[in-house]
Amino acid sequence: MASASEASEAPRPSRASTAPVPPRTAPGAPAAPGATSDPIAAAPGDLGGGVEPGSGQGSPSRWPASWPDRIRALARGDLEPVPPRRAATVMLLRDSPAGPVVHLLRRRASMAFAAGAYAYPGGSVDPRDEHPHLRWAGPDADWWARRLGCGPRVAQAVVCAAVRETFEESGVLLAGPDADSVVADTTGDDWEADRAALVAHELPFAEVLARRGLVLRSDLLGAWARWITPEFEERRYDTWFFVCALPSGQRARDVSGEADRTVWLSPAEAVARYDAGEFSMLPPTVSTLRQLAGHRSARAVLDAAGGQDMAPVLATARIEADRVVLTWPGHDEFTEAVPFSGPVPGAGR
């Protein structure tokens, strides 16, 4: 976990926005995951609660059980928000004849966070991602600090986490012998042993790179977005989203123990499956996919990354009469209004 001094480097969100809420579900779909005739379609179902994003309506019974009381407590000033854990996730792209496709994995139903949802490779920052001897090429930590809106130590850790998690969850490694090359093949027992050791937290990523004579290629990443889980959530993340192109010679593999399925899809098709109720996704995934859909190549996406707004997106909840409204300013499709099933916070005061 980050120290208090490190946490103070993270800026306050400059605009309100959100974090994950449960995905939309196809009408009449079964609540439990099951087999489908489509080999890459997600089983219908929600993430344990919530309302249909963009509907403006919903039933409290579909919310996570803890949300109503926590929102009430937050409205009264009785809830101390859980500090968000820093995290990084990577939209891994490769070109196809029809345009870029993105690598998505479906999180296992047993996962505590976003179970059953399609997402990108990623995870929490490890304290060892701040390793002082991390071998590095490309823009330095000071440059990344300005781009990501944090201090240099945090910036290094976030970029390192993005590269490490991509390797852990897909077998793709954004590193090479020097600043102008990338490893061409990360398959084989020796690579798998290193990947498994990283997943088990048995050694720092910096040690893997040093032993193999590699440098982290930070220039292969482009910062795309930043989303923070709402303050009333029990499990919170401050997540930076990156884009990168699949290095030549490498291939993504289904190696994540947190996923039960991986796919390559065009951003437009992935969003269409979400809109049709076939895929479960969290708002940051849906939002970034919609943004990617207008680009014709992985290179075009990377070129566009420099102009992306990195202001944090943090969802807010407000009380209106007998309902609570969840708002994602700038992301209206996710706005939700849900009636309270019990006393309204502040009623009678």
Side-chain angles (χ1 to χ4, degrees):
M1 296 295 290
S3 67
S5 60
E6 294 161 13
S8 67
E9 294 179 348
R12 295 184 64 84
S14 60
R15 60 183 171 89
S17 50
T18 186
V21 297
R24 67 181 66 199
T25 306
T36 73
S37 58
D38 185 336
I40 63 171
D46 60 29
L47 301 182
V51 301
E52 180 177 358
S55 67
Q57 300 178 6
S59 166
S61 66
R62 294 189 59 208
W63 282 35
S66 61
W67 273 23
D69 287 343
R70 294 183 65 84
I71 291 173
R72 290 184 176 94
L74 184 65
R76 293 193 305 266
D78 296 338
L79 177 67
E80 182 70 25
V82 175
R85 297 180 62 180
R86 296 188 181 97
T89 191
V90 176
M91 296 174 273
L92 183 62
L93 301 161
R94 63 175 173 82
D95 288 320
S96 76
V101 290
V102 62
H103 184 65
L104 293 164
L105 52 84
R106 189 177 70 178
R107 293 173 62 82
R108 293 185 181 277
S110 59
M111 297 300 295
F113 184 80
Y118 275 81
Y120 311 113
S124 297
V125 171
D126 186 306
R128 291 175 295 184
D129 291 331
E130 289 188 13
H131 199 288
H133 303 300
L134 177 66
R135 296 165 61 91
W136 186 285
D140 62 17
D142 289 332
W143 185 94
W144 279 106
R146 292 190 294 273
R147 182 72 185 108
L148 300 181
C150 59
R153 289 176 58 191
V154 172
Q156 174 191 306
V158 170
V159 171
C160 181
V163 175
R164 174 182 53 75
E165 287 284 346
T166 301
F167 179 54
E168 289 183 13
E169 297 203 343
S170 72
V172 172
L173 182 59
L174 305 178
D178 53 52
D180 300 312
S181 60
V182 185
V183 292
D185 185 7
T186 59
T187 60
D189 292 344
D190 58 334
W191 282 108
E192 181 57 25
D194 281 346
R195 193 193 65 79
L198 289 170
V199 171
H201 303 285
E202 294 174 355
L203 75 170
F205 188 54
E207 183 176 318
V208 173
L209 295 181
R211 177 162 45 79
R212 290 182 173 271
L214 302 175
V215 294
L216 181 152
R217 290 286 306 276
S218 76
D219 57 308
L220 299 181
L221 289 169
W224 193 265
R226 179 181 178 186
W227 290 65
I228 303 175
T229 313
E231 292 185 333
F232 56 81
E233 286 266 34
E234 295 174 271
R235 188 184 298 270
R236 303 186 65 216
Y237 298 93
D238 183 352
T239 305
W240 282 264
F241 286 71
F242 296 87
V243 292
C244 78
L246 180 69
S248 177
Q250 293 194 38
R251 60 185 178 87
R253 295 177 285 127
D254 185 2
V255 293
S256 174
E258 298 181 356
D260 60 11
R261 176 173 293 161
T262 62
V263 296
W264 286 95
L265 284 179
S266 72
E269 182 174 353
V271 169
R273 288 175 178 267
Y274 164 81
D275 288 336
E278 298 173 6
F279 275 16
S280 293
M281 291 182 187
L282 303 185
T285 310
V286 178
S287 174
T288 51
L289 283 170
R290 292 200 194 282
Q291 293 170 338
L292 295 179
H295 298 280
R296 297 186 177 182
S297 68
R299 182 69 263 172
V301 172
L302 287 167
D303 289 344
Q308 285 294 118
D309 182 5
M310 295 301 294
V313 177
L314 175 65
T316 60
R318 68 179 185 273
I319 307 301
E320 291 185 353
D322 60 348
R323 65 180 186 169
V324 63
V325 178
L326 301 184
T327 305
W328 290 260
H331 301 271
D332 292 342
E333 72 167 300
F334 307 120
T335 297
E336 304 171 17
V338 181
F340 275 111
S341 58
V344 178
R349 292 187 179 183

